[in-house]
């Protein structure tokens, strides 16, 4: 499996056994992520923005309004950023308070923004992004018109400095605590899609598409 | 309802109608959050750490190992931080690609870390944190011993510069698009707790506690 190089910034120093540098693992977490957190610094103060994103190959894409202050700042100043995606997959209930934990999968990327001016790349990224959020959606919707494309800014981030951190499995207690009469185990957590709710003003006769059933 | 003051850093400039400064709203999002993202800058480079947390009154608490590089850095350098919590509550499927959105609730706090040396405050924060992740859990578990307390560092962050951003409801399309034969609506998303899985080596006869049923 192809690996990311371990750098000063991406090396997992706390509980290093949980560090994962395999590209397939990093990409699978990114591709499942519903949003990322983009962090960058301005005069020593860190800011963060939660935002949708998608990945194509070794690039991560964000889009936003050309009127967005932070999109413009990123495009113009190209600050070094950190981009994170985290899933909490379960509560790990140990016998001791101290060994309580969570099962999780997280990725952090270090990169810099590049404004995308290529129309094909913009179109492709919006298609991939839309279908990531809802598979099958892009082909079904009214595509952007020229004014909407002009109002949309796309930023790309090369993914070449990245790592994941993953915990799975049950609790690990101190040897003597296994004899205690305390329940221990995992409460799995899952992001669930609930049944779609039609718009109040949905045109009469428009059926729920197959990809939403 | 009590409000946070709007500052240069917390003012919502993009889609300002979604900005919420009510303390009750900010606190409710924080109290539901399973993790936060802490961001801070080192030499102009933003770093971010996903981590568990809890809130007591107007303070947010993080704990970690005294051996953790980032906990020590935060305690010693007290950099200005940004702390974020985000929920994606639904996919908003509009008739046009352009108006696709998500329903979300997010909070961003600006603060600085303070190392907590008071033993009562440390104990209280760990109790609140444990019961936040799993209500009822603290009374049931083996409490930290003196060595475990010594291995635990607690940081507090005053919550006095914070804002929320919230979107709810259905899609908003351009007037002429409502006549299109395209399904529109919302796919609600929810973090679901699944049935608990007992530890493989759970002591015989230990029953699932009521608070997990």
């Amino acid at each position: 499996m192809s690996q990311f190089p371990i750098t000063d910034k991406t090396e997992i120093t706390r509980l290093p056994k949980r560090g994962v540098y395999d590209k397939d693992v990093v990409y699978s977490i990114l591709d499942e992520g519903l949003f990322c957190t983009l962090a960058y610094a301005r005069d020593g103060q860190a800011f963060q923005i939660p935002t949708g994103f998608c990945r194509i190959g070794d690039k991560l894409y964000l889009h936003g309004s050309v009127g967005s202050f932070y999109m413009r700042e990123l495009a113009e100043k190209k600050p070094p950023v950190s981009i994170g995606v985290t899933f909490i997959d379960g509560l790990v209930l140990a016998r001791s308070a101290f060994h309580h934990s969570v099962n999780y999968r997280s990725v952090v990327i270090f990169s810099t923004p590049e404004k995308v001016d290529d129309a094909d790349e913009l179109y492709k990224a919006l298609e991939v992004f839309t279908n990531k959020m809802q598979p099958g959606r892009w082909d079904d919707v009214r595509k952007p018109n020229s004014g909407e494309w002009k109002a949309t800014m796309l930023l790309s981030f090369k993914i070449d400095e990245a790592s994941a951190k993953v915990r799975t499995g049950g609790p690990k207690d101190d040897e003597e605590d296994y004899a205690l009469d305390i329940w221990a185990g995992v409460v799995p957590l899952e992001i669930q899609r609930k049944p779609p709710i039609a718009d109040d003003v949905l045109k009469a006769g428009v059926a729920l598409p197959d990809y939403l059933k």
Side-chain angles (χ1 to χ4, degrees), chain A:
Chain A
M1 210 169 353
S2 183
Q3 302 261 328
F4 288 108
I6 301 177
T7 70
D8 283 353
K9 293 206 291 293
T10 62
E11 184 176 9
I12 307 290
T13 56
R14 181 76 203 149
L15 305 175
K17 278 189 296 189
R18 296 183 185 169
V20 181
Y21 302 90
D22 295 325
K23 289 190 179 183
D24 289 350
V25 173
V26 168
Y27 288 170
S28 76
I29 295 169
L30 293 177
D31 293 349
E32 193 179 330
L34 292 168
F35 71 99
C36 68
T37 303
L38 174 97
Y40 65 105
R42 188 189 305 142
D43 302 329
Q45 169 69 60
F47 288 79
Q48 63 178 295
I49 296 112
T51 182
F53 73 100
C54 69
R55 180 190 68 87
I56 302 175
D58 64 354
K59 282 187 186 170
L60 186 147
Y61 291 95
L62 304 185
H63 72 284
S65 165
V66 293
S68 155
F69 178 80
Y70 92 86
M71 289 293 286
R72 293 164 70 145
E73 186 172 39
L74 291 171
E76 285 160 21
K77 298 189 182 164
K78 302 187 182 187
V81 304
S82 143
I83 299 172
V85 173
T86 300
F87 288 95
I88 306 291
D89 294 323
L91 309 177
V92 180
L93 305 180
R95 294 151 187 87
S96 61
F98 188 75
H99 285 296
H100 275 62
S101 186
V102 290
N103 284 332
Y104 61 89
R105 289 167 292 147
S106 67
V107 162
V108 174
I109 298 166
F110 294 94
S111 188
T112 50
E114 285 293 333
K115 184 167 173 290
V116 175
D117 291 315
D118 182 85
D120 291 339
E121 195 174 355
L122 172 60
Y123 194 91
K124 184 69 187 167
L126 267 284
E127 177 181 341
V128 170
F129 173 72
T130 304
N131 281 335
K132 177 193 183 184
M133 296 306 277
Q134 178 53 62
R137 187 66 181 163
W138 183 257
D139 284 344
D140 204 14
V141 295
R142 199 266 291 157
K143 304 299 178 298
N145 57 39
S146 63
E148 291 170 341
W149 283 124
K150 273 184 205 137
T152 304
M153 190 191 294
L154 183 71
L155 298 172
S156 75
F157 301 81
K158 197 81 190 296
I159 309 172
D160 49 19
E161 193 170 6
S163 61
K165 201 170 175 185
V166 175
R167 188 201 191 281
T168 58
K172 301 285 172 216
D173 270 300
D174 291 344
E175 202 50 47
E176 61 272 25
D177 288 337
Y178 284 93
L180 296 172
D181 289 322
I182 300 172
W183 190 90
V186 173
V187 179
L189 301 174
E190 202 178 274
I191 297 170
Q192 193 186 24
R193 295 167 65 97
K194 314 269 281 186
I197 299 167
D199 192 3
D200 289 342
V201 291
L202 186 64
K203 187 180 172 188
V206 175
L208 189 70
D210 284 342
Y211 58 77
L212 285 172
K213 281 172 187 164

